[in-house]
């Protein structure tokens, strides 16, 4: 029988489909009028949406706030850049980025998962800052300038080939990859393992008494989130032709967290919408004034105050009601209840 | 007679200078209700915490089915067939009643199903349904656990513990805060559990203890004061002085 969590996930899929339709419309219109600027901007929005997705997997499902998720985005980007300079192969770059991110995430996860809550947030923040500073000082990685001159590659997909320099073509490639990452995450969350993550968020101390290892679940979640961030990051140098240490800085991690909060924590698709929204706002307001950060800050505060569940958190219950079978239609949606705090286990 | 399902020997723990549990030894027989009683602060919940892996004992051993499980992590004890409830209701309040049960029942499935879609775990789903029916919660399956009445939450907590088909079930004051009628219903329920499991119970209601228990262990200030059949324990002058004297 369909249950609430599966229903919420389906409502997210409806909204994700809507986003894909909007993207396809943009692709058609953009190629018809020969636009480059907006297609590249939208491609960048999608790439950062991947990073936001990884933040939401951690925060929205297992309840762990990472303030340094850009670390894995940056590792993916640098690995991809290094590979592309030697061998201009899309698949090799993606594979290497995934492998490198995975290995680094095992180390990062062993460190960060020793603690939880605020301490987890601080450790993830610290890890990213340390690695960013190290990269900033390594001459072979371009130091503070980063690496430029990454060649424009041709992406071979079966018999077809798309140039990363083609705005529509690359936009569609990125769209497919980010939506595949979304689909994989959604799949994971609708498995028994994914449900253990929601249990962790709801009441972590009860989980071991159900027979699940909290450490293992948190670790797997951390690795999956890092992979998503790393694969998204791997796309960045293909779009921009360069990488820089800023990709790992707090600004990047912070933007991803803001995207998730604006879009709706724990909705998955909200991370995508939030990221697109943030990139659009930034470029629109950025074209009026240099002080766009002030406006983004104010927007963020207004969002948190007046739409605490985010854009999708606000919209999704309505979608749920539309697609719900009768037995789930009467009762209140979980989103509308103030979550009760779990009682502490008496130690 | 077969070996007891749970054997505790010389179990001790100290908090600072306080010996919260001091060299406690007892055994719980299969398909019986063994009850631990004692005044507030006697160390009953602390004893449960050590048996269930929430606290590591300072010394002593815990055997489950004859296997040494002293100080094992809770998830390993679960694998060994031990389930426990908590004195303070401890559920996933933001999840539905059915999801609370399904999470517990999932351990019945082979590990590889953990990464298949949830609907493939048919055994866990069937168990959830069976538990909903047995505990009369079917009409509340999609309610959030946090929205249930106190009595329903306490019942759900027992159901959650039972959903993993344990060998031994530790219940810490399951009737706490319940109405008279709910208490009576719960007593009947606990009695019916012994068909499938062995029960280790903490209970304050002496009437209930006498009615339900096959074996009673009395604790006082961390130590075991006496043990035996309910009637014999009640007649023990030491127990009367320490425990019933206050009641
Ligand atoms: N984590 C802890 N740290 C310090 N002292 C503790 C801790 N847990 C329990 N205690 C102390 O150990 C003693 C035994 O507590 P416990 O909760 O086991 O009693 P109990 O028999 O379950 O009582 P009640 O009937 O009130 O539930 C008490 O004095 C309590 O204050
Ligand atoms: Mg107690």
């Amino acid at each position: 029988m369909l249950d609430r969590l599966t229903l919420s996930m389906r409502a997210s899929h409806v909204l994700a489909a809507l986003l894909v339709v909007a993207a396809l419309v943009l692709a058609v219109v953009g190629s018809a009028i020969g636009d480059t600027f907006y297609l590249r901007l939208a491609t960048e929005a999608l790439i950062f949406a991947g990073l936001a997705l990884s933040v939401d997997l951690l925060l929205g499902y297992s309840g762990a706030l990472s303030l340094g998720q850009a670390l894995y985005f940056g590792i993916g980007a640098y690995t991809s850049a290094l590979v592309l300079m030697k061998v201009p192969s899309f698949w090799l770059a993606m594979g290497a980025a995934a492998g490198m991110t995975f290995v680094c995430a095992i180390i990062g996860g062993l460190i960060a998962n020793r603690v939880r809550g605020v301490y987890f947030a601080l450790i993830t923040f610290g890890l990213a800052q340390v690695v960013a500073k190290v990269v900033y000082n390594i001459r072979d990685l371009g130091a503070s300038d980063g690496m430029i001159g990454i060649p424009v590659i041709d992406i071979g997909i079966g018999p077809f080939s798309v140039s990363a320099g083609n705005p529509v073509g690359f936009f569609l490639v990125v769209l497919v990859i980010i939506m595949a990452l979304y689909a994989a995450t959604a799949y994971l969350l609708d498995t028994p393992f994914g449900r253990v993550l929601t249990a962790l968020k709801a009441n972590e101390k009860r989980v071991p008494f159900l027979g699940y290892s909290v450490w293992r679940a948190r670790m797997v979640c951390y690795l999956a989130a890092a992979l998503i961030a790393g694969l998204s990051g791997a796309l960045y140098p293909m779009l921009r032709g360069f990488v820089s240490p800023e990709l790992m800085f707090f600004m990047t991690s912070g933007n991803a967290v803001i995207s998730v909060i604006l879009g709706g924590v724990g909705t998955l698709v909200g991370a995508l919408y939030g990221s697109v929204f943030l990139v659009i706002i930034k470029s629109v307001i950025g074209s009026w004034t240099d002080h766009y950060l002030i406006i983004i800050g104010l927007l963020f505060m207004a969002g948190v105050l007046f739409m605490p569940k985010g854009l999708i958190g606000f919209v999704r219950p309505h979608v749920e009601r539309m697609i719900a079978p009768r037995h789930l239609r009467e009762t209140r949606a979980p989103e509308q209840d103030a979550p009760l705090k779990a009682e502490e286990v008496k130690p | 007679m077969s070996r007891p399902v749970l054997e505790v020997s010389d179990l001790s723990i100290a908090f600072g200078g306080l010996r919260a549990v001091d060299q406690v030894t007892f055994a719980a027989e299969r398909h019986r209700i063994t009850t631990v009683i004692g005044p507030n602060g006697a160390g009953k919940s602390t004893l449960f915490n050590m048996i269930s892996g929430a606290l590591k004992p300072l010394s002593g051993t815990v055997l489950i089915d004859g296997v040494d499980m002293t100080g094992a992590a809770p998830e390993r004890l679960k694998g060994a067939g031990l389930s426990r409830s908590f004195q303070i209701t401890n559920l996933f309040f933001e999840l539905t009643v059915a999801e609370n049960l399904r999470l517990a029942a999932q351990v019945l499935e082979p590990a590889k199903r953990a990464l298949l879609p949830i609907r493939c775990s048919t055994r866990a789903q069937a168990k959830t349904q069976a538990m909903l029916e047995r505990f009369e919660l079917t009409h509340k399956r999609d309610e959030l656990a946090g929205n249930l009445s106190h009595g329903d939450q306490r019942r759900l907590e027992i159901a959650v513990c039972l959903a993993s088909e344990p060998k031994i079930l530790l219940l810490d004051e399951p009737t706490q805060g319940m109405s008279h009628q709910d208490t009576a219903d719960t007593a009947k329920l606990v009695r019916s559990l012994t068909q499938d499991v062995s029960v280790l119970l903490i209970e304050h209601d002496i009437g209930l203890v006498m009615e339900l228990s096959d074996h009673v262990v009395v604790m006082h200030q961390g130590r075991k004061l006496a043990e035996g059949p309910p009637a014999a324990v009640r007649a023990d002058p030491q127990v009367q002085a320490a425990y019933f004297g206050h009641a």
Side-chain angles (χ1 to χ4, degrees):
Chain A
M1 189 159 15
L2 185 65
D3 75 4
R4 264 208 184 286
L5 294 164
T6 304
L7 177 66
S8 306
M9 202 47 94
R10 283 196 190 164
S12 282
H13 295 343
V14 170
L15 293 161
L18 217 60
L19 189 69
V20 170
V21 170
L24 292 178
V25 169
L26 174 71
V28 169
V29 174
S31 72
I33 62 170
D35 164 73
T36 301
F37 177 77
Y38 286 104
L39 280 170
R40 299 215 138 232
L41 189 67
T43 309
E44 182 165 326
L46 284 177
I47 290 174
F48 283 105
L51 177 59
L53 192 67
S54 103
V55 169
D56 195 33
L57 171 59
L58 279 169
L59 176 63
Y61 293 87
S62 84
L65 172 62
S66 166
L67 292 179
Q69 205 58 13
L71 171 61
Y72 300 111
F73 186 84
I75 289 172
Y78 269 84
T79 309
S80 165
L82 286 168
V83 170
L84 292 177
M85 304 243 264
K86 297 252 163 7
V87 190
S89 159
F90 174 78
W91 298 108
L92 189 65
M94 294 301 276
M100 190 66 181
T101 317
F102 191 73
V103 171
C104 294
I106 290 176
I107 300 166
L110 287 173
I111 299 169
N113 281 322
R114 297 171 65 87
V115 292
R116 51 210 63 205
V118 178
Y119 301 100
F120 178 84
L122 291 177
I123 293 255
T124 50
F125 170 79
L127 277 173
Q129 290 304 98
V130 167
V131 175
K133 278 291 171 201
V134 168
V135 169
Y136 193 88
N137 287 301
I138 294 181
R139 192 158 307 146
D140 287 340
L141 292 178
S144 60
D145 296 333
M147 292 188 290
I148 53 168
I150 293 152
V152 177
I153 51 162
D154 285 317
I155 301 163
I157 306 160
F160 306 102
S161 174
V162 181
S163 165
N166 174 347
V168 185
F170 191 58
F171 174 68
L172 292 176
V173 168
V174 170
L175 180 67
V176 168
I177 289 178
I178 297 300
M179 292 320 289
L181 290 177
Y182 166 82
T185 313
Y187 173 87
L188 186 71
L189 290 172
D190 215 23
T191 62
F193 170 76
R195 295 300 182 80
V196 172
L197 297 182
T198 56
L200 280 184
K201 189 184 180 197
N203 184 359
E204 182 176 310
K205 289 185 171 161
R206 185 73 170 89
V207 171
F209 296 97
L210 293 183
Y212 305 107
S213 158
V214 170
W215 185 86
R216 196 193 306 173
R218 283 177 47 138
M219 194 69 187
V220 172
C221 182
Y222 188 88
L223 291 174
L227 267 182
I228 294 167
L231 284 170
S232 310
L235 297 167
Y236 186 86
M238 299 175 194
L239 175 72
R240 290 291 174 213
F242 73 91
V243 287
S244 67
E246 276 81 22
L247 291 178
M248 294 184 185
F249 281 178
F250 177 64
M251 187 73 180
T252 310
S253 298
N255 273 339
V257 174
I258 290 176
S259 301
V260 167
I261 292 174
L262 285 178
V265 177
T267 62
L268 223 52
V269 74
L272 308 186
Y273 276 93
S275 174
V276 170
F277 180 71
L278 195 67
V279 169
I280 290 173
I281 288 285
K282 249 175 149 170
S283 88
V284 170
I285 301 176
S287 67
W288 301 337
T289 162
D290 285 341
H291 304 298
Y292 68 93
L293 282 177
I294 298 176
I295 300 184
I296 288 177
L298 289 174
L299 263 175
F300 179 66
M301 289 197 295
V304 170
L305 286 174
F306 300 114
M307 220 190 252
K309 291 176 200 299
L311 196 64
I312 299 303
F314 178 75
V315 173
R316 193 169 69 168
H318 300 284
V319 180
E320 276 174 34
R321 227 158 290 141
M322 279 189 284
I323 62 172
R326 195 176 307 115
H327 75 99
L328 285 176
R329 216 169 280 169
E330 311 301 321
T331 48
R332 280 167 296 167
E335 273 84 356
Q336 288 160 344
D337 291 292
L340 278 155
K341 265 293 132 247
E343 300 272 358
E344 295 259 302
V345 182
K346 216 176 165 190
Chain B
M1 210 171 73
S2 67
R3 181 166 195 164
V5 64
L6 172 74
E7 293 160 270
V8 169
S9 41
D10 283 329
L11 215 54
S12 302
I13 197 170
F15 300 118
L18 174 78
R19 282 246 164 197
V21 173
D22 196 2
Q23 301 202 304
V24 170
T25 300
F26 72 93
E29 299 292 342
R30 275 167 218 279
H31 300 286
R32 295 281 182 273
I33 297 177
T34 307
T35 309
V36 182
I37 65 170
N40 291 115
K44 307 180 294 295
S45 295
T46 305
L47 177 69
F48 265 35
N49 283 340
M50 284 191 286
I51 298 171
S52 66
L55 286 174
K56 284 212 193 310
L58 198 64
S59 61
T61 55
V62 176
L63 304 189
I64 293 175
D65 247 345
V67 180
D68 188 350
M69 297 298 283
T70 316
E75 62 265 25
R76 279 199 51 223
L77 283 155
K78 186 74 180 191
L82 181 137
S83 228
R84 72 163 294 186
S85 76
F86 292 82
Q87 185 166 355
I88 302 165
T89 309
N90 194 351
L91 292 162
F92 300 100
F93 295 109
E94 296 156 50
L95 301 179
T96 62
V97 170
E99 182 60 11
N100 270 275
L101 289 167
R102 202 206 51 75
L103 274 165
Q106 188 65 40
V107 297
L108 301 173
E109 296 278 356
K112 61 174 192 278
R113 293 235 171 111
L115 291 175
L116 293 177
I118 210 109
R119 61 176 185 285
C120 300
S121 294
T122 44
R123 186 156 172 222
Q125 241 141 20
K127 190 75 194 177
T128 302
Q129 195 53 42
M131 283 292 136
L132 286 169
E133 277 159 27
R134 177 162 179 195
F135 287 78
E136 292 166 17
L137 290 165
T138 309
H139 56 296
K140 297 190 173 143
R141 59 168 295 145
D142 295 310
E143 291 253 6
L144 298 188
N147 289 347
L148 296 184
S149 69
H150 177 76
D152 281 346
Q153 284 182 352
R154 293 307 277 177
R155 235 155 8 111
L156 176 58
E157 180 130 32
I158 300 177
V160 163
C161 290
L162 216 55
S164 60
E165 298 184 354
K167 285 183 216 156
I168 175 141
L169 182 58
L170 274 56
L171 298 174
D172 196 343
E173 298 195 33
T175 65
Q176 195 213 48
M178 275 192 180
S179 69
H180 192 73
Q181 184 56 47
D182 279 350
T183 303
D185 290 347
T186 306
K188 209 150 83 198
L189 181 77
V190 172
R191 177 40 75 192
S192 75
L193 295 181
T194 51
Q195 284 173 5
D196 312 312
V197 293
S198 316
V199 178
L200 184 63
L201 182 70
I202 295 178
E203 183 53 61
H204 268 301
D205 183 326
I206 287 305
L208 215 61
V209 173
M210 292 300 144
E211 177 194 326
L212 278 178
S213 314
D214 298 302
H215 188 78
V216 178
V217 176
V218 189
M219 285 185 69
H220 183 51
Q221 294 175 355
R223 309 185 128 256
K224 183 178 80 178
L225 196 62
E227 70 175 316
V233 162
R234 200 207 320 240
D236 188 322
Q238 244 190 320
V239 175
Q240 296 217 336
Y243 189 56
F244 297 114
H246 296 281

